[in-house]
Amino acid sequence: MARPDKAAAVAELTDKFRSSNAAVLTEYRGLTVAQLKTLRRSLGENAQYAVVKNTLTKIAANEAGITTLDDQFNGPTAVAFITGDPVESAKGLRDFAKDNPNLVIKGGVLEGKPLSADEIKKLADLESREVLLSKLAGAFKGKQSQTAQLFQALPSKLVRTVDALRAKQDEQGGAE
């Protein structure tokens, strides 16, 4: 009776690994149910935080093609499956871990590449995708404005130069 349940759990975890663009493993020893609820809310809408069994999760990760996490499946483990912006969820984990030292970030995977705990913290220091895109758009807009001013300056400078030449010729013509 337990075998079909375990097979279903492995299949569900495998699907979560495959459909997520990032997964972060944590140790939650010592956290209360209320703190775990707060953590789930702090991860954002695009993340799902699940307490998992190490053996089943290791099998599921291997079936999903992720073998770099094998040594991190020890102790009480929970996984944050992230389907959206990984920066937002990494910030939520980092900030929650600052306030609750019982949460330990073990490591993770981002689009198939392994991440250490330090790399996840560095990911959390990045600005969100939306902020980076808006900064890029602002930079492009600024460059376009500078280009437009340059193109407007050339004709007006030409006109001023021609006027100065004409004034100089008038002075020379009036002096003769």
Side-chain angles (χ1 to χ4, degrees), residues 4 16 18 28-29 59 93 101 114 116 118 121 135 171 175:
K16 286 183 181 179
R18 286 182 179 151
Y28 64 93
R29 188 187 326 250
I59 293 168
L93 284 168
S116 68
D118 290 334
K121 290 174 184 169
K135 284 186 175 183
E171 286 178 13

Side-chain angles (χ1 to χ4, degrees), residues 17 23 25 58 61 66-73 107-109 114-115:
F17 274 113
L25 274 63
K58 185 177 180 179
I66 301 168
T67 57
T68 56
L69 301 176
D70 287 352
D71 59 335
Q72 297 178 3
F73 290 111
V109 63
L115 294 175

